[in-house]
């Protein structure tokens, strides 16, 4: 196993991502989106619309009017969701950028770096860009939800038309086909299927519940915020190297980066350029922290370079690496 001293500690920044503040922020967004999801589910099962849709030709105009009212209510709920998420994002992103910067500061100090001056000042442009990304995510989910609900209400009207057409074709009263309660119950089942039982968001052919999608957005974007805070701090102290955390991940996407050291500027002769940074996929928990080369021993630098250039496999620690080098002499 790798020596505990081989790389800067990452416990604080990981705590920023999985600790109480991070979890509370994720849970807050989930709760907010969950309330919207519950309200939309109520609108999709509107009792008045069900009755009107099942009542036949005489209630078609009323059914259409009620569908328009409901769609307007859907838009209002989604606009409220957009506004509340914007407020949440401003607060949560700022906090996570600061958490990442603070964790990077501690990591640099624990490596022995002597620091001074204004350090780790949050980058306003970085924060704004991350907030914008969350707003884009939110708008995508809201637009997808509105399309789902619009299709749902249109399907309601189509079902009402079909009921009337069947009645006229058979020249019997609608009550002979199904009574009103039976038709309403059947429509309710069909509506539930049309809206995916609350899975209003469609992404690449897959349906998502709003609450689940909120968790995905919050975890991913706040992880980005923590890493961006660490990156900004490293730049602020003139440190060009950062290391990606390594916590035993088996994800093939992360395996290409975990435990490796990268150059922010791309000017390092020893280490590859930082072209991608965590999170590398939704819910990714990898982070980055400063790697202070000036405070490393020649052997530690040799090991870090070999790992970063892919010359040794993941999981091989510095002690095993030194044994291999001694055996080769």
């Amino acid at each position: 196993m790798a020596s505990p001293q081989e790389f800067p500690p990452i416990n604080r920044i990981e705590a920023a991502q999985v600790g109480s503040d991070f979890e509370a922020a994720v849970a807050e967004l989930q709760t907010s989106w969950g309330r919207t999801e519950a309200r939309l589910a109520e609108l999709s099962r509107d009792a008045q619309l069900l009755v009107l849709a099942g009542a036949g030709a005489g209630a078609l105009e009323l059914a259409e009017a009620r569908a328009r009212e409901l769609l307007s209510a859907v838009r209002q709920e989604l606009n409220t969701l957009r506004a509340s998420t914007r407020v949440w994002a401003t607060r949560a992103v700022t906090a996570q950028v600061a958490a990442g910067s603070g964790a990077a500061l501690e990591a640099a100090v624990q490596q022995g770096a002597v620091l001074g001056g204004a350090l780790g000042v949050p980058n306003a442009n970085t924060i704004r860009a991350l907030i914008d990304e969350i707003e884009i995510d939110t708008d995508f989910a809201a637009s997808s939800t509105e399309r789902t609900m619009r299709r749902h209400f249109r399907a309601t009207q189509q079902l009402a038309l079909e009921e009337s057409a069947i009645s006229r074709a058979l020249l019997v009263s609608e009550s002979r086909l199904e009574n009103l309660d039976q038709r309403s119950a059947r429509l309710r089942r069909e509506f539930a299927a049309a809206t995916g039982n609350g899975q209003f968001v469609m992404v690449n052919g897959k349906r998502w519940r709003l609450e689940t999608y909120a968790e995905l957005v919050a975890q991913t974007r706040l992880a980005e915020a923590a890493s961006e805070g660490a990156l900004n701090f490293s730049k602020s102290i003139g440190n060009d190297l950062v290391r990606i955390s390594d916590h035993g991940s088996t994800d093939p996407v992360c395996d290409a980066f975990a435990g490796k050291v990268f150059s922010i500027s791309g000017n390092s002769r020893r280490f590859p350029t930082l072209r991608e940074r965590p999170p590398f996929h939704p819910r990714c928990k990898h982070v980055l922290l400063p790697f202070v080369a000036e405070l490393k021993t020649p052997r530690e630098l040799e090991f870090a370079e070999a790992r970063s250039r892919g010359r040794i496999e993941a999981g091989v620690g510095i002690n095993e690496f030194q044994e291999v080098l001694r055996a080769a002499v």
Side-chain angles (χ1 to χ4, degrees):
M1 296 297 294
S3 165
Q5 288 77 37
E6 71 185 34
F7 285 128
I10 59 173
N11 56 305
R12 280 291 299 280
I13 191 168
E14 288 187 331
Q17 291 191 346
V18 300
S20 59
D21 291 344
F22 184 90
E23 290 181 342
V26 173
E28 181 183 350
L29 191 66
Q30 277 187 277
T31 300
S32 174
W33 285 42
R35 284 195 294 264
T36 300
E37 177 185 307
R39 176 59 180 147
L40 294 178
E42 290 178 2
L43 293 173
S44 73
R45 298 189 299 266
D46 181 69
Q48 183 178 346
L49 180 63
L50 289 171
V51 171
L52 293 172
L60 283 179
E61 290 187 6
L62 291 174
E64 291 174 357
R66 182 57 180 169
R68 287 194 296 271
E69 291 176 2
L70 292 170
L71 187 57
S72 177
V74 166
R75 293 194 183 103
Q76 183 176 348
E77 290 290 334
L78 294 174
N79 285 336
T80 299
L81 179 69
R82 288 182 174 98
S84 63
T85 300
R86 189 178 303 115
V87 173
W88 171 89
T90 301
R91 176 168 29 86
V93 166
T94 301
Q96 284 303 308
V97 168
S101 180
L105 168 62
E106 181 168 322
V109 170
Q110 288 186 11
Q111 290 177 80
V114 179
L115 308 173
L119 301 174
V121 177
N123 186 306
N125 290 333
T126 295
I127 293 173
R128 181 66 256 173
L130 287 164
I131 293 171
D132 287 347
E133 288 296 321
I134 293 174
E135 290 184 349
I136 291 171
D137 293 333
T138 304
D139 192 61
F140 174 84
S143 298
S144 179
T145 297
E146 183 176 338
R147 287 193 298 271
T148 297
M149 296 295 284
R150 186 184 297 112
R151 286 194 299 267
H152 165 60
F153 293 136
R154 285 177 179 171
T156 302
Q157 297 170 46
Q158 184 61 37
L159 286 168
L161 288 169
E162 290 172 358
E163 289 289 334
S164 299
I166 291 172
S167 297
R168 290 193 299 272
L170 296 178
L171 299 177
V172 295
S173 67
E174 293 180 8
S175 62
R176 291 277 303 279
L177 299 175
E178 287 179 314
N179 65 40
L180 188 57
D181 289 341
Q182 290 173 325
R183 283 198 299 277
S184 295
R186 178 167 58 81
L187 290 172
R188 189 178 295 109
R189 291 192 299 270
E190 292 172 346
F191 296 165
T195 57
N197 289 312
Q199 295 172 311
F200 299 113
V201 183
M202 180 71 75
V203 182
N204 296 327
K206 180 181 178 182
R207 289 185 179 276
W208 292 75
R209 290 182 54 192
L210 278 172
E211 187 176 358
T212 306
Y213 190 78
E215 178 190 18
L216 179 71
V217 168
Q219 289 185 341
T220 303
R221 296 307 183 191
L222 295 186
E224 287 181 0
S227 278
E228 288 295 332
L231 185 65
N232 287 338
F233 173 83
S234 196
K235 290 178 179 178
S236 76
I237 64 173
N239 186 71
D240 185 53
L241 301 178
V242 290
R243 176 181 175 261
I244 308 298
S245 64
D246 186 4
H247 43 73
S249 170
T250 58
D251 189 293
V253 175
C254 295
D255 287 345
F257 302 95
K260 296 182 179 181
V261 177
F262 294 91
S263 165
I264 299 172
S265 68
N267 295 328
S268 173
R269 294 182 177 181
R270 303 194 74 154
F271 299 102
T273 303
L274 180 69
R275 302 189 186 281
E276 297 183 59
R277 50 186 181 264
F280 301 112
H281 57 82
R283 299 192 178 96
C284 176
K285 287 186 169 50
H286 284 282
V287 297
L288 56 80
L289 285 180
F291 181 84
V292 186
E294 294 78 8
L295 301 175
K296 301 299 178 185
T297 66
R299 188 67 71 183
E300 287 174 329
L301 286 174
E302 188 177 6
F303 168 73
E305 181 180 6
R307 176 70 183 274
S308 302
R309 296 291 183 182
R311 296 170 190 158
I312 56 177
E313 297 180 358
V316 175
I318 191 170
N319 293 332
E320 292 87 345
F321 177 67
Q322 290 176 337
E323 290 175 3
V324 170
L325 291 180
R326 283 194 293 269
V329 175

